[in-house]
Amino acid sequence: MDQSPPSGRSYVSVLSSFPPSVGQDVAVAVVKPLGVSLGNSDTCSPLLTDKQVKWTMEVLCYGLSLPLDCDTVKHCVDVYTDWLMSLVSQRDSIPPPIIREPNMYVQKILRHLHNLFEFRSDQYSLVYLSLCQQVLRAVQSMARKSTLMTRDTWETLIHFLLRINHSILAPPTTAGAISKQLSQLSMEVLLEVWLLSCARCFPSRSLWQTCRQMVSSWRHQPVVVEQWSRVVAALTSRLLLLSFGPLFPSFTVPEEDAALIPADLDNKRVPQTWFRFLHMLRNPADLSRLLVDSSSPLAQEEMLRGGDAQLPHIFLTAMRVVGTLVDAFLGLTVINKEPTEQLPSSTGLTTATHFRDRLPSLSVAMTRSPFKDRLPSYGLSRPRSGSAPPTPVNMSLPSIPPSATSPPPHNRRQKTANVSKATGRPVTVHQCVSSSPHHGTSSSFLPPPSSILSSSPRPSLSPLRCNIDSLLHLFGSWLFDAALINTDSSLSERWVAGQAEACGTLCRIFACKKTAEDILPVYLSRFYRVLLQGLQVSEEMRPRLLASVLLNSPGLFCCDLKGVNLLLPPFISALEKVLLDRDLLRFKSFVSLVNLRRASILILLTLVPLPLQFGSVQSEVLLNGQFSDDDVTAGSFLSLRARLIKVLMGALQTETHSTNIQTLLAATLNLVQDSALLEAAGQTQQAQESQNAGSSRSGHSEGTRQTRRASNIQSDPAGILWVQFVCLLTQRLTSHWRNDSAVCFSVLEVLGGLAKVELRVEESEKREAVSAICRYIVFQCSRPPPFHSRDLHSIIVAAFSCLNTWLTQHPTMLDHQACLSEVLEIVELGIAGSKSRQEQEVTCKEEKELNPASQRVKEAAEATLSCVMQVSGACPFAGGSLDEDALIGCCSMSDRQKKFRYFVVDTSVILAMLEHPPGPEQACPALTVLIRGPSGRRAWTLQLHLQPREGRTHTQASDQCSVSSVSLHRALTPEHAAAGPEDAGIPCGVIHESAERVPLVKADRSIPALHEAVDGEMQQQVEGLRATLRRQTQVEARPRVNSQSVVMTTCRPPAPANHFQTARLFLSHLGLLTPETLKDPGTRGVPAQLVSLDSSLPGFSEDLRHLDQLPSTNRDSAFIFYMRAGQRTADEILKNVASSCSVSSHFLDFLSTLGWPAEAGHPQPDRTRTHNAEFLTALGESGGGVFDGEKFVLMYADALTRITFIVPSSSSHTHWSSSQDESQQEPASRPRRKSETSRGEAMKSSHSVSSFVIVWVELLEDVESFPVSKLLAEETTDALSSSSKVQLLFIHPLKTGLYQIGFHGNSTSKFSLVVPLVNGSVVSKRSLGILVRETLINCFLRRRLESDSAPPPHIKRKHMISDIILRYRSHRSEPAFYSALFHNP
């Protein structure tokens, strides 16, 4: 009865030879008792011999082909599924022959069961679906649990599954949930059984080839790619762990997918299994050739109607799977967010679609399957509503002279016309272009039309990732074929989504190139061809391709790819297309406009420094964006500068997203600063050349020089660029951006940086910038009370800080009366809360009530007022270390015991007065005043002259005290003259008769009447004085007893006083010796306007010394480390700076641009420049370790801040650790060294807010292994309590002479993006040091604004002064106070 099935056909029963009615009757009669008996556990099988079993199986085989309208088919399925369990367990219902030889009978059963899956008219009914599911589940259970299966049984089982899947999946797709469920289950069982076979009985090569051929014919079914992706992902996760170890970023898949891999699968078989499963689907690009390469559009339409309409979508899904596998090998894991129903309010749109962003991140596991619902639609985000911005500025800048340009400093020999390298490693990261398919039984696995592309930054790449060539050997042919599919067909738009996915994956691969890695030229050439096709911006532009390339290429120009600079023109054209168009109507349906602009801006950051870096270097070919031989042109990099500037300025006007605007602002300061420095270098070179040839120009007149100087102010490209950017930023600060707090912070920081750029610009432009900042402060202070918050007040404080920067950098602006008045009005607004002059009303300041926006705003305005007084010359800072001991010594006073008089004015200024009476060495009495206030300590000297300045001799005019930098001369008394004879005979009581008619003025009332100045305690003394006067009057009125007459004497002026108290005269002239200033205001805790201090109290000198040690400017510090390639430990890093042979010469150049050498513990006068010879002298043979704080530090200081740079070394760490141990053991017996004190103070000033660490890395892959916690724990007394306080700035030198910046700032702050250096910036060597300083200053400023425990320096001094008043206030009565003024201290 056995009949072998023909090839490719099902097993044929002997009953098929009889008429259908006969076979059906036999089947019903035989099968029904067997099926019914299965439900009775006590019934044993009636089949006892092999012949009985075989004959019954022939009947069962025929019964499986009967129609489904009877129960016969169901009984056949029940019997066979029960007998299949003979390989798992023995049951009474299973015939004994089958139990004895289960493998042979199971093989026959599997051949018979194929009849159930043959095509029939009612195969899409629920009954049919239930029967097929029953068979598949039984087969699946048998494969999982059986331990008796032989190789023949495994192969028969695999053949069975291949045949039924072929019968289900090979036909064109038909709609219906039943068909989809059956297709998914059959494919799922096939792949799981295949994996089980790989673990227990590895399939033969012929089976793999058969499977590959069949699967390639099923690729038009969505479920095939879906189930294949699940298995490949699970195998990839296992393979990565085996190949790269546990330190490699994990690629975690869902538990249900990971369970597909058998636990007993040998590790040696995993690579073979993975590789064969990967290629089971063959090249996904073949799907596109089925349609795109067809002979005619008519044939394509026919194929689409024939069931291949889903091929483009399947192609897209397959390319997404490949992209995810590539990400896994690169160490980029995926974060899947939960579904959301509404976007943030800032986007202005809502959506009900589920979205999940691809956020590659190291060591982050996926929470859902990356393939089942892999990349669903992303929330659409568009620019904010509002009026369209003005048209982008059309820049036309004069070109920089060729003499001002220079070849790259890292490679001076690169002067040929062929420029082929760009810059190093990407720190910012690139995301794949993706949206996720639906899974399960949904009608379509495609993303909905609203799905969009996304791009987000990620951390640095794992150094363990595989090489680019190895990755391209695996996936390169698929990706290149998919990215370069034929696009000439009218139906090619259906394939653009998958093509864009392939382009994005290729961009990610090449952007992840390691620092010293080489790539085969064949791969580079094909990749550049892909980019040229994707970057086309002509009428045939494909927005998806362009978006995919831009989203995945932020760091492409930082990878040292050979020939990448040839792509500058097409990339600039693409940036113009994206950044200069606000609406982007052709992109918004499938991509997040915010992310697309952000990626474009990050690319712009890497392109901005290239034109100035390479200058007039000629490139052999620069393609203008089209892949065509006619578009090959020659040109210099400098010719592209104007286009980049236009893109930058236009993007500032069209961009509306806060983060994107801040990134553009960072590029702004980078561009202007680099242009100014390059121009200054060119002018210096020209000046030296002109000095050498000065004899030939000596005949030029001064008028000609002035004319040339004036013309240079207008023609300098950097100056013009500075003016345009300042005007643009100030205009948008006061209009479009004034409501965005984060953007306002960045704009103010950039404006402060632009104020420090050394350029020759018209004074009117500077005053206009200051006026714009003042208007911005007015707007913010004038907001209604509900809008006032801590963030708003922080912005106002930052605006005052920016204003201080402008005033200190350009003090001549205050010579303009209108500018000075406007600044003082803003100061008044900050202190009082309103202006005295508002429209037509004028309010006197003494009549105003102080109602500032907040105490912080008031304090910031007071700091600005102090800044105005300093830069205007009214209250300049003398500097130095003058104190009481120094003043007594330098004044050459013989009496060393003389004391100072101490007074406090307005509870904020301590006056220490030292009187100098006239003597042999000093003809005029003088007064030296030490003024200690919130803004610092200053010294004044005042001299009493009896002649006006114009009438003094030269000797008198120059006879001033040498201890002061400022002399204040006042005529304290009128000039003395001897009485002439005309004075004789003038009665003493004679007053001109018209004197009483002269009206009194305020000066006449400066001395109050006696009854007004007397209080209750002195009333008795006054009454006694009055009684005495009355008695004296009565005595004088009595007639003389004797006859002598009374002789009236004439009045003569008294002789000049030789000794008097100059301190009393000084206080009187300042209007401080009045009853109002000495009276207690009556408010608890608020002293009088003038208070004297008792210097005899213990601790007074120590508190004054402590006050003098408090800085009056911001004191910040930063640590600098050098990390060589491959280093991991702190000891290795600290040893690098011991010798110059261990560090790069460019690192030493960078140190020289940060500041000047200063002895530890000995601050030097403020300056902004350092001399190279001075730096080299201090450096010696070290690699920077001499600036470890033991002997030297690097110092930078200006009028507003002081920065200490410390380069820790291994020796300093040893001394520091030992000193800490000694200080803990003997806290009072050992005095601290100066180096320890200065180092500790510097680190304390830094760590009070946060720690700023600068790391020079040779390999960007080492960033993740930098031992920051260990190094900071060694360099500080206390370990950092929170890693969020550490701000890391990594500097990586590139082969082009540029520097890649990696910035890991404060991620917990809402205003964490600090400019000008952001993560991914590329800067030149010229501006690196300046931009690092600016970033450090801005970071600490933001930290202070966010922290309540870090008040500004002038507030700390103010609080200290208040404490001194409370401790050492002299509680004297008013008479005692006045009496003390007339006596020597």
Side-chain angles (χ1 to χ4, degrees):
M1 297 180 63
D2 284 339
Q3 294 183 5
S4 300
S7 178
R9 297 180 59 186
S10 301
Y11 190 91
V12 179
S13 173
V14 68
L15 292 179
S16 59
S17 303
F18 296 92
S21 59
V22 176
Q24 183 174 359
D25 293 339
V26 173
V28 171
V30 174
V31 172
K32 186 174 181 180
L34 293 176
V36 173
S37 63
L38 292 177
N40 190 355
S41 59
D42 298 333
T43 303
C44 296
S45 175
L47 306 177
L48 302 178
T49 64
D50 289 340
K51 291 184 178 181
Q52 293 175 348
V53 172
K54 291 180 180 179
W55 183 87
T56 305
M57 290 180 66
E58 289 293 327
V59 177
L60 292 172
C61 177
Y62 182 80
L64 290 173
S65 61
L66 294 176
L68 300 176
D69 54 358
C70 59
D71 295 336
T72 304
V73 178
K74 182 180 183 303
H75 291 318
C76 293
V77 171
D78 291 340
V79 172
Y80 266 168
T81 54
D82 183 67
W83 291 0
L84 284 175
M85 293 299 104
S86 61
L87 287 172
V88 178
S89 62
Q90 298 182 2
R91 302 178 182 178
D92 294 338
S93 59
I94 302 176
I98 298 179
I99 295 177
R100 289 192 298 269
E101 298 183 33
N103 282 284
M104 181 188 69
Y105 284 101
V106 167
Q107 295 173 21
K108 290 184 177 182
I109 292 173
L110 292 175
R111 297 190 189 100
H112 294 176
L113 284 174
H114 186 266
N115 289 331
L116 177 66
F117 296 89
E118 288 292 328
F119 177 77
R120 60 182 72 202
S121 59
D122 53 353
Q123 66 177 7
Y124 296 115
S125 64
L126 292 176
V127 176
Y128 178 75
L129 174 63
S130 176
L131 295 176
C132 293
Q133 289 179 341
Q134 182 179 348
V135 172
L136 291 172
R137 293 301 182 190
V139 170
Q140 185 182 35
S141 177
M142 178 188 68
R144 288 176 178 176
K145 301 177 182 180
S146 175
T147 58
L148 304 176
M149 294 176 62
T150 63
R151 171 170 288 276
D152 292 338
T153 305
W154 277 108
E155 292 185 356
T156 303
L157 176 59
I158 292 176
H159 275 293
F160 164 72
L161 292 175
L162 286 175
R163 294 176 66 184
I164 65 173
N165 274 275
H166 191 72
S167 62
I168 296 174
L169 300 174
T173 303
T174 56
I178 296 177
S179 175
K180 292 182 180 300
Q181 292 181 31
L182 183 58
S183 301
Q184 182 172 351
L185 180 60
S186 63
M187 191 65 191
E188 180 181 346
V189 173
L190 169 63
L191 296 181
E192 181 178 354
V193 170
W194 200 287
L195 287 171
L196 291 171
S197 176
C198 291
R200 302 169 187 176
C201 183
F202 200 81
S204 63
R205 181 177 181 181
S206 60
L207 273 179
W208 284 103
Q209 292 177 347
T210 303
C211 180
R212 186 180 182 188
Q213 293 176 358
M214 287 189 170
V215 171
S216 63
S217 64
W218 307 338
R219 291 179 298 183
H220 61 283
Q221 298 284 357
V223 68
V224 174
V225 177
E226 179 186 340
Q227 296 299 326
W228 168 78
S229 65
R230 293 181 61 200
V231 174
V232 172
L235 287 171
T236 302
S237 179
R238 179 86 173 269
L239 178 68
L240 292 177
L241 183 62
L242 295 175
S243 302
F244 298 99
L247 297 180
F248 190 75
S250 61
F251 178 61
T252 308
V253 296
E255 294 181 0
E256 59 269 22
D257 293 349
L260 295 175
I261 310 301
D264 55 348
L265 179 61
D266 187 37
N267 291 337
K268 296 181 180 180
R269 294 183 178 182
V270 171
Q272 281 289 333
T273 304
W274 174 84
F275 184 81
R276 293 175 183 271
F277 261 97
L278 177 67
H279 291 274
M280 186 178 290
L281 197 66
R282 293 192 175 183
N283 190 347
D286 294 339
L287 294 171
S288 64
R289 298 190 182 99
L290 297 177
L291 292 181
V292 177
D293 293 341
S294 298
S295 58
S296 65
L298 181 60
Q300 296 174 358
E301 293 291 346
E302 291 178 354
M303 292 184 67
L304 290 175
R305 287 195 300 268
D308 293 328
Q310 297 188 90
L311 286 180
H313 310 304
I314 298 172
F315 171 63
L316 171 61
T317 304
M319 297 318 302
R320 287 190 186 131
V321 174
V322 175
T324 302
L325 298 180
V326 168
D327 290 343
F329 278 95
L330 292 176
L332 308 178
T333 57
V334 180
I335 297 176
N336 290 328
K337 297 182 178 180
E338 292 299 325
T340 184
E341 296 297 326
Q342 185 172 357
L343 290 174
S345 57
S346 59
T347 61
L349 294 177
T350 59
T351 179
T353 59
H354 300 279
F355 71 98
R356 201 173 291 141
D357 291 338
R358 293 188 61 164
L359 296 173
S361 171
L362 299 182
S363 300
V364 179
M366 294 183 297
T367 59
R368 293 189 178 182
S369 172
F371 305 103
K372 285 182 164 184
D373 198 15
R374 162 87 95 84
L375 291 172
S377 58
Y378 292 81
L380 182 61
S381 178
R382 63 170 56 177
R384 301 173 184 170
S385 59
S387 58
T391 304
V393 178
N394 189 2
M395 292 286 298
S396 58
L397 294 177
S399 60
I400 295 181
S403 60
T405 62
S406 60
H410 291 2
N411 194 2
R412 292 292 183 184
R413 66 182 65 179
Q414 193 174 8
K415 295 184 179 180
T416 61
N418 188 7
V419 179
S420 60
K421 288 192 176 183
T423 56
R425 307 264 338 108
V427 176
T428 60
V429 199
H430 351 284
Q431 304 312 350
C432 49
V433 178
S434 49
S435 50
S436 84
H438 297 296
H439 59 41
T441 60
S442 60
S443 59
S444 174
F445 63 95
L446 287 174
S450 62
S451 68
I452 58 178
L453 309 171
S454 178
S455 175
S456 304
R458 58 161 170 78
S460 300
L461 299 170
S462 171
L464 300 178
R465 64 187 184 275
C466 63
N467 294 332
I468 303 302
D469 283 346
S470 300
L471 205 56
L472 292 176
H473 291 338
L474 285 173
F475 304 102
S477 60
W478 293 0
L479 292 172
F480 284 122
D481 290 348
L484 297 173
I485 60 176
N486 184 10
T487 58
D488 297 333
S489 172
S490 59
L491 296 178
S492 59
E493 285 296 332
R494 299 174 181 267
W495 304 89
V496 170
Q499 186 181 12
E501 182 73 29
C503 291
T505 304
L506 285 171
C507 291
R508 288 199 305 280
I509 291 175
F510 283 88
C512 292
K513 172 184 171 294
K514 295 181 181 179
T515 302
E517 182 181 355
D518 293 328
I519 302 177
L520 293 176
V522 62
Y523 288 141
L524 282 174
S525 60
R526 297 195 72 186
F527 175 59
Y528 292 160
R529 183 183 176 189
V530 170
L531 290 180
L532 290 173
Q533 175 179 285
L535 293 172
Q536 291 184 10
V537 294
S538 59
E539 294 298 330
E540 293 78 16
M541 178 189 71
R542 300 182 183 275
R544 285 183 180 270
L545 286 180
L546 181 61
S548 177
V549 171
L550 294 179
L551 285 171
N552 293 280
S553 304
L556 198 60
F557 285 86
C558 306
C559 300
D560 293 330
L561 294 176
K562 294 181 179 180
V564 73
N565 290 329
L566 303 180
L567 302 174
L568 272 175
F571 264 100
I572 294 177
S573 299
L575 296 182
E576 291 172 343
K577 188 70 175 178
V578 173
L579 294 179
L580 300 184
D581 183 3
R582 180 180 182 182
D583 298 326
L584 295 176
L585 297 178
R586 300 184 63 181
F587 295 88
K588 62 170 43 178
S589 62
F590 59 87
V591 69
S592 167
L593 300 185
V594 172
N595 290 335
L596 178 60
R597 291 179 184 272
R598 182 174 305 163
S600 302
I601 292 170
L602 292 176
I603 296 174
L604 182 62
L605 279 180
T606 63
L607 301 184
V608 163
L610 290 179
L612 292 183
Q613 181 68 14
F614 294 106
S616 57
V617 176
Q618 298 289 323
S619 179
E620 289 184 353
V621 286
L622 288 179
L623 306 179
N624 67 358
Q626 301 288 337
F627 187 64
S628 151
D629 293 339
D630 299 334
D631 299 321
V632 178
T633 58
S636 66
F637 284 88
L638 197 58
S639 62
L640 303 173
R641 179 170 178 261
R643 293 179 63 187
L644 286 173
I645 295 174
K646 178 182 177 182
V647 171
L648 180 56
M649 298 195 73
L652 284 171
Q653 299 175 72
T654 58
E655 186 57 60
T656 58
H657 190 268
S658 177
T659 304
N660 293 351
I661 295 174
Q662 295 177 75
T663 310
L664 287 169
L665 292 171
T668 298
L669 184 55
N670 186 359
L671 175 63
V672 177
Q673 183 69 68
D674 197 26
S675 301
L677 293 175
L678 183 61
E679 186 175 289
Q683 291 176 354
T684 303
Q685 182 179 358
Q686 292 177 0
Q688 293 176 353
E689 295 176 355
S690 62
Q691 184 177 2
N692 296 334
S695 58
S696 62
R697 300 188 181 95
S698 59
H700 287 230
S701 63
E702 183 66 24
T704 305
R705 294 193 187 99
Q706 295 292 341
T707 303
R708 185 183 300 113
R709 188 179 299 112
S711 63
N712 287 339
I713 294 179
Q714 301 296 332
S715 61
D716 291 343
I720 298 174
L721 191 64
W722 186 92
V723 171
Q724 290 179 332
F725 274 113
V726 169
C727 292
L728 176 61
L729 296 183
T730 53
Q731 184 269 333
R732 298 191 72 83
L733 174 66
T734 55
S735 57
H736 294 74
W737 297 337
R738 62 185 183 180
N739 294 321
D740 193 326
S741 302
V743 173
C744 290
F745 268 120
S746 298
V747 174
L748 292 171
E749 290 170 354
V750 172
L751 287 175
L754 291 175
K756 299 178 183 180
V757 177
E758 298 181 4
L759 288 170
R760 293 179 294 178
V761 184
E762 295 290 344
E763 289 292 328
S764 60
E765 301 292 346
K766 303 175 185 177
R767 292 196 298 268
E768 181 60 30
V770 171
S771 178
I773 298 173
C774 293
R775 292 195 302 271
Y776 177 75
I777 296 176
V778 172
F779 169 78
Q780 298 293 359
C781 292
S782 303
R783 289 189 146 205
F787 291 94
H788 280 253
S789 62
R790 179 178 179 85
D791 292 342
L792 177 64
H793 297 158
S794 297
I795 295 173
I796 299 175
V797 173
F800 273 111
S801 177
C802 178
L803 185 60
N804 297 343
T805 303
W806 278 86
L807 296 179
T808 55
Q809 295 295 326
H810 308 283
T812 57
M813 291 188 299
L814 294 180
D815 297 337
H816 193 269
Q817 185 63 33
C819 181
L820 178 60
S821 300
E822 187 173 13
V823 172
L824 293 179
E825 286 183 354
I826 297 303
V827 171
E828 180 189 6
L829 175 64
I831 295 176
S834 62
K835 296 182 181 180
S836 296
R837 186 185 303 274
Q838 295 182 356
E839 296 180 354
Q840 302 299 328
E841 299 181 1
V842 178
T843 305
C844 297
K845 291 180 173 57
E846 60 269 14
E847 299 176 0
K848 292 172 54 179
E849 295 183 2
L850 296 182
N851 187 23
S854 69
Q855 184 65 23
R856 292 197 302 154
V857 173
K858 178 184 176 182
E859 295 167 353
E862 291 174 348
T864 301
L865 178 60
S866 175
C867 180
V868 171
M869 300 297 289
Q870 293 182 36
V871 301
S872 63
C875 182
F877 178 64
S881 58
L882 295 178
D883 56 10
E884 284 81 354
D885 295 337
L887 285 175
I888 292 176
C890 64
C891 287
S892 302
M893 298 182 62
S894 59
D895 189 3
R896 310 289 294 184
Q897 302 299 325
K898 284 188 175 289
K899 296 182 180 180
F900 284 75
R901 299 178 187 266
Y902 289 92
F903 302 92
V904 179
V905 180
D906 292 332
T907 67
S908 60
V909 178
I910 298 178
L911 302 179
M913 299 184 182
L914 178 64
E915 297 175 330
H916 305 281
E921 300 178 359
Q922 185 169 287
C924 301
L927 177 70
T928 300
V929 184
L930 280 178
I931 305 174
R932 292 179 172 92
S935 59
R937 183 182 63 193
R938 292 163 178 81
W940 283 12
T941 295
L942 303 95
Q943 287 184 320
L944 174 63
H945 286 271
L946 303 182
Q947 295 178 349
R949 288 184 181 179
E950 292 78 6
R952 304 177 201 162
T953 63
H954 178 72
T955 304
Q956 292 174 330
S958 60
D959 186 16
Q960 301 176 7
C961 184
S962 61
V963 300
S964 174
S965 62
V966 178
S967 296
L968 182 61
H969 307 280
R970 293 182 181 273
L972 300 180
T973 59
E975 183 179 357
H976 169 69
E982 63 272 16
D983 295 332
I986 299 178
C988 60
V990 176
I991 300 177
H992 197 275
E993 59 181 4
S994 63
E996 296 181 356
R997 297 194 299 268
V998 177
L1000 298 179
V1001 296
K1002 290 185 178 181
D1004 297 322
R1005 300 187 179 92
S1006 61
I1007 300 178
L1010 184 61
H1011 67 277
E1012 297 178 358
V1014 174
D1015 54 10
E1017 298 179 359
M1018 300 177 60
Q1019 188 64 31
Q1020 296 179 358
Q1021 301 179 14
V1022 173
E1023 292 297 334
L1025 179 61
R1026 288 176 178 173
T1028 302
L1029 290 176
R1030 285 195 299 271
R1031 289 194 299 270
Q1032 181 65 25
T1033 302
Q1034 294 175 1
V1035 170
E1036 292 179 355
R1038 295 174 185 174
R1040 295 287 182 178
V1041 178
N1042 55 11
S1043 58
Q1044 295 181 356
S1045 59
V1046 178
V1047 180
M1048 303 296 293
T1049 59
T1050 59
C1051 295
R1052 296 184 181 275
N1058 294 326
H1059 298 280
F1060 50 86
Q1061 295 73 32
T1062 52
R1064 172 176 54 83
L1065 295 178
F1066 176 69
L1067 293 175
S1068 177
H1069 290 167
L1070 291 181
L1072 296 175
L1073 294 182
T1074 63
E1076 290 78 10
T1077 59
L1078 298 177
K1079 286 184 178 179
D1080 194 331
T1083 304
R1084 184 177 180 181
V1086 179
Q1089 184 179 359
L1090 180 64
V1091 176
S1092 63
L1093 300 179
D1094 189 354
S1095 60
S1096 63
L1097 294 176
F1100 182 79
S1101 300
E1102 287 75 10
D1103 284 348
L1104 280 185
R1105 189 175 298 107
H1106 184 201
L1107 176 62
D1108 293 338
Q1109 291 174 354
L1110 289 179
S1112 58
T1113 59
N1114 293 323
R1115 300 294 176 93
D1116 302 323
S1117 65
F1119 297 106
I1120 305 175
F1121 298 96
Y1122 188 95
M1123 188 176 185
R1124 300 185 66 180
Q1127 291 184 339
R1128 296 292 183 271
T1129 64
D1131 293 336
E1132 293 175 336
I1133 297 174
L1134 291 174
K1135 291 178 181 178
N1136 291 333
V1137 295
S1139 172
S1140 58
C1141 300
S1142 301
V1143 298
S1144 170
S1145 60
H1146 304 295
F1147 172 72
L1148 300 178
D1149 295 339
F1150 165 67
L1151 293 181
S1152 66
T1153 60
L1154 290 178
W1156 55 86
E1159 293 186 13
H1162 297 280
Q1164 297 182 0
D1166 298 348
R1167 54 179 176 173
T1168 57
R1169 295 182 181 274
T1170 181
H1171 301 287
N1172 192 40
E1174 180 184 2
F1175 175 81
L1176 294 177
T1177 301
L1179 180 66
E1181 297 298 328
S1182 73
V1186 69
F1187 304 111
D1188 56 4
E1190 290 293 319
K1191 185 177 180 181
F1192 290 103
V1193 294
L1194 284 175
M1195 182 73 67
Y1196 172 81
D1198 56 20
L1200 299 176
T1201 187
R1202 184 186 296 269
I1203 307 174
T1204 302
F1205 295 97
I1206 300 175
V1207 186
S1209 63
S1210 56
S1211 60
S1212 68
H1213 165 55
T1214 303
H1215 296 159
W1216 182 253
S1217 301
S1218 61
S1219 66
Q1220 292 300 317
D1221 296 337
E1222 293 175 8
S1223 64
Q1224 294 175 2
Q1225 297 173 4
E1226 302 177 6
S1229 61
R1230 187 184 66 89
R1232 297 183 65 186
R1233 295 179 296 177
K1234 288 185 178 181
S1235 60
E1236 298 173 11
T1237 304
S1238 61
R1239 182 185 175 108
E1241 291 177 352
M1243 290 185 292
K1244 182 179 179 181
S1245 65
S1246 172
H1247 292 298
S1248 61
V1249 179
S1250 63
S1251 296
F1252 197 94
V1253 179
I1254 303 171
V1255 187
W1256 186 286
V1257 290
E1258 293 182 352
L1259 292 180
L1260 204 59
E1261 292 79 13
D1262 296 336
V1263 166
E1264 292 298 321
S1265 58
F1266 179 71
V1268 56
S1269 300
K1270 180 65 175 176
L1271 287 170
L1272 289 183
E1274 292 177 350
E1275 294 303 322
T1276 58
T1277 57
D1278 300 323
L1280 292 176
S1281 58
S1282 174
S1283 60
S1284 62
K1285 289 186 176 181
V1286 181
Q1287 302 182 89
L1288 297 172
L1289 191 145
F1290 294 95
I1291 302 174
H1292 172 59
L1294 307 176
K1295 293 182 179 180
T1296 55
L1298 300 174
Y1299 295 86
Q1300 177 86 11
I1301 301 299
F1303 185 69
H1304 297 185
N1306 178 21
S1307 59
T1308 61
S1309 171
K1310 68 173 69 175
F1311 306 122
S1312 59
L1313 185 56
V1314 183
V1315 297
L1317 293 182
V1318 298
N1319 198 19
S1321 296
V1322 177
V1323 299
S1324 67
K1325 182 179 182 180
R1326 294 178 295 272
S1327 56
L1328 177 62
I1330 296 176
L1331 296 180
V1332 167
R1333 284 201 308 262
E1334 282 300 305
T1335 304
L1336 186 149
I1337 293 172
N1338 295 334
C1339 284
F1340 281 112
L1341 175 61
R1342 293 205 184 189
R1343 279 287 195 172
R1344 292 187 182 95
L1345 292 176
E1346 295 174 359
S1347 175
D1348 294 328
S1349 60
H1354 68 282
I1355 299 303
K1356 292 182 181 179
R1357 292 182 58 87
K1358 191 174 182 179
H1359 292 167
M1360 184 65 184
I1361 293 174
S1362 299
D1363 294 340
I1364 292 176
I1365 296 173
L1366 294 177
R1367 295 177 185 177
Y1368 307 106
R1369 179 181 178 182
S1370 178
H1371 298 280
R1372 295 176 179 175
S1373 62
E1374 290 187 31
F1377 177 83
Y1378 284 114
S1379 177
L1381 290 177
F1382 287 90
H1383 296 83
N1384 293 329

